[in-house]
Amino acid sequence: PNGEEWLLEIDKEFDEDLGIEFENGLMDDYRSCHNKCIFCFIDQMPKGMRETLYFKDDDSRLSFLQGNYITLTNMKDKDLDRVIRYNLSPINISVHTTNPELRCMMLHNRFAGKINEQIQKLYDAGTMMNGQIVLCKGVNDGDELRRTIRDLGSYLPYMESLSVVPVGISKHREGLYPLEPFTSEDAKEVLSIIHEFQDIFMEEYDTHFVHASDEWYILAGESLPDEDNYDGYIQLENGVGMLRLQEREFHAALNESMYMPEDVKEKHLTIATGKLAAPFLRELVSDFNQKYPNIHIEVVDIINHFFGPRITVSGLMTGQDIMEQLKDRPLGDALLLPINVLRSGEDVLLDDVRICEIEKTLQVPVRIVQSNGKDLFDAFIC
């Protein structure tokens, strides 16, 4: 406080921790989001959950530290100048639309229309960027989607990639903007637009640039693209190519396995997952059983009553839905749950139900499976 400078000398080995623990990773309060986006999922959360689940962050530091996508609306010119001066990259940007008026409406922020100027400034400085579009039916799809992809593609190569993900719509939308879910035909139209631009970008820049999240292909009833289509899985955290990568890793582990079928003991496992991934996992189980028929695996897709049936991803499953829908089923030797149902670093689900509570209620051991395909194979066979 008095401006005195300290020099601290720390004696430690190279691989030893500094021995300092900060209250949070930023050593400062997280910066909250000032937008009121029409698609914000936090606004669609039911009341009575833990307080941290209602915090909206839009902190630029988390973009660099954790890969979070930010809107740039909380950043002033001096903040962008610091990013450029310190050569921080890549910066992940929630763009949604390059139409200034439409973006102000979607984010409910009169300053949101500066997005093109901000991206241009980062582009001129050679700052690497990734973009994200949360697509809302009848709002930023169709010709608006074409405009956004075209505009952002003009910032190649510094805008490295762009993902398009469908808006998540829970049942808790009282008083919010009237959003409609995408249909199968809608998903096919979205994929048609994305594939059209992928062909253009591949020819001109040797990259697909724009990518559809896995949900679009499942909703449209279309096959997932080949691995080469994902440009090295640069948008993996947005659900782009997660299923294809898991499939490749799973089959690699299956093909390289040293376990002989006759050495594997018979057992029964149950997998609980969201409706989105359930058909995909059943295909992997079928492939697995061709080599190991003694291991019986049932995939159960959990209907999301907590957030509403339109929410089909496994990461938003709750403990109460899992227990309610599995309590009268024979679950066998273990129940497998994906790691994304848990709060990071803890054994608690979104609704504060702990793994031990699920085990006690269902009277079965619960095993948490990492997202890697090899981890899934190991969970099946070990």
Side-chain angles (χ1 to χ4, degrees), residues 157-286:
Y158 298 118
M159 179 69 74
E160 290 184 283
S161 68
L162 174 66
S163 63
V164 182
V165 303
V167 61
I169 302 178
S170 85
K171 66 181 182 181
H172 307 283
R173 289 196 58 82
E174 298 82 2
L176 300 179
Y177 187 91
L179 292 175
E180 298 180 21
F182 287 97
T183 66
S184 178
E185 290 303 313
D186 294 331
K188 291 178 181 179
E189 174 62 21
V190 171
L191 290 176
S192 175
I193 293 172
I194 291 174
H195 293 160
E196 171 190 338
F197 278 99
Q198 284 183 336
D199 292 340
I200 295 172
F201 290 126
M202 272 302 292
E203 184 174 344
E204 294 187 13
Y205 298 99
D206 197 31
T207 178
H208 294 90
F209 178 65
V210 59
H211 302 275
S213 63
D214 295 347
E215 297 105 307
W216 294 112
Y217 291 97
I218 295 174
L219 181 58
E222 297 186 11
S223 300
L224 294 171
D226 293 334
E227 188 171 33
D228 292 343
N229 188 271
Y230 293 108
D231 298 335
Y233 297 106
I234 197 169
Q235 285 272 0
L236 197 62
E237 291 303 316
N238 273 322
V240 176
M242 289 186 71
L243 295 180
R244 177 61 76 199
L245 179 60
Q246 187 179 53
E247 177 191 51
R248 180 179 67 77
E249 293 169 339
F250 181 85
H251 282 120
L254 180 62
N255 294 332
E256 296 168 4
S257 173
M258 302 300 291
Y259 290 97
M260 301 301 294
E262 57 271 18
D263 297 330
V264 176
K265 295 182 179 180
E266 184 173 355
K267 62 180 175 180
H268 175 205
L269 303 172
T270 300
I271 306 174
T273 188
K275 291 187 67 177
L276 184 72
F280 172 81
L281 285 173
R282 289 190 181 100
E283 291 182 12
L284 296 187
V285 168
S286 177

Side-chain angles (χ1 to χ4, degrees), residues 20 22 66 148 258 287:
I20 301 174
F22 298 100
Q66 299 178 10
T148 303
M258 302 300 291
D287 295 340

Side-chain angles (χ1 to χ4, degrees), residues 149-163:
I149 296 174
R150 189 180 301 111
D151 288 349
L152 294 179
S154 68
Y155 296 113
L156 274 160
Y158 298 118
M159 179 69 74
E160 290 184 283
S161 68
L162 174 66
S163 63

Side-chain angles (χ1 to χ4, degrees), residues 33-255:
C33 180
H34 299 304
N35 304 315
K36 296 185 182 297
C37 300
I38 63 173
F39 51 82
C40 181
F41 196 80
I42 292 178
D43 290 338
Q44 304 178 65
M45 302 271 271
K47 297 179 180 179
M49 302 179 72
R50 61 178 178 269
E51 185 178 349
T52 54
L53 292 176
Y54 300 103
F55 181 76
K56 304 178 184 179
D57 76 72
D58 196 26
D59 199 313
S60 60
R61 295 169 294 180
L62 295 178
S63 182
F64 304 112
L65 291 172
Q66 299 178 10
N68 289 20
Y69 278 74
I70 57 174
T71 64
L72 301 186
T73 56
N74 283 353
M75 297 186 71
K76 300 178 181 178
D77 288 340
K78 65 177 183 179
D79 296 320
L80 282 181
D81 290 339
R82 289 186 68 201
V83 168
I84 292 169
R85 184 166 69 252
Y86 292 121
N87 195 28
L88 299 174
S89 68
I91 185 168
N92 298 325
I93 307 172
S94 290
V95 181
H96 311 308
T97 177
T98 52
N99 180 333
E101 293 78 18
L102 179 59
R103 194 168 193 262
C104 288
M105 185 280 287
M106 292 186 69
L107 273 60
H108 206 259
N109 187 325
R110 62 192 176 94
F111 300 110
K114 300 194 305 180
I115 186 64
N116 296 311
E117 303 166 29
Q118 292 173 309
I119 293 177
Q120 183 68 53
K121 188 172 187 175
L122 293 167
Y123 173 84
D124 291 340
T127 302
M128 304 306 295
M129 299 170 277
N130 294 295
Q132 176 200 60
I133 298 172
V134 174
L135 207 64
C136 302
K137 184 175 180 178
V139 180
N140 60 338
D141 55 351
D143 288 339
E144 289 293 347
L145 175 61
R146 290 185 176 90
R147 169 180 173 166
T148 303
I149 296 174
R150 189 180 301 111
D151 288 349
L152 294 179
S154 68
Y155 296 113
L156 274 160
Y158 298 118
M159 179 69 74
E160 290 184 283
S161 68
L162 174 66
S163 63
V164 182
V165 303
V167 61
I169 302 178
S170 85
K171 66 181 182 181
H172 307 283
R173 289 196 58 82
E174 298 82 2
L176 300 179
Y177 187 91
L179 292 175
E180 298 180 21
F182 287 97
T183 66
S184 178
E185 290 303 313
D186 294 331
K188 291 178 181 179
E189 174 62 21
V190 171
L191 290 176
S192 175
I193 293 172
I194 291 174
H195 293 160
E196 171 190 338
F197 278 99
Q198 284 183 336
D199 292 340
I200 295 172
F201 290 126
M202 272 302 292
E203 184 174 344
E204 294 187 13
Y205 298 99
D206 197 31
T207 178
H208 294 90
F209 178 65
V210 59
H211 302 275
S213 63
D214 295 347
E215 297 105 307
W216 294 112
Y217 291 97
I218 295 174
L219 181 58
E222 297 186 11
S223 300
L224 294 171
D226 293 334
E227 188 171 33
D228 292 343
N229 188 271
Y230 293 108
D231 298 335
Y233 297 106
I234 197 169
Q235 285 272 0
L236 197 62
E237 291 303 316
N238 273 322
V240 176
M242 289 186 71
L243 295 180
R244 177 61 76 199
L245 179 60
Q246 187 179 53
E247 177 191 51
R248 180 179 67 77
E249 293 169 339
F250 181 85
H251 282 120
L254 180 62
N255 294 332

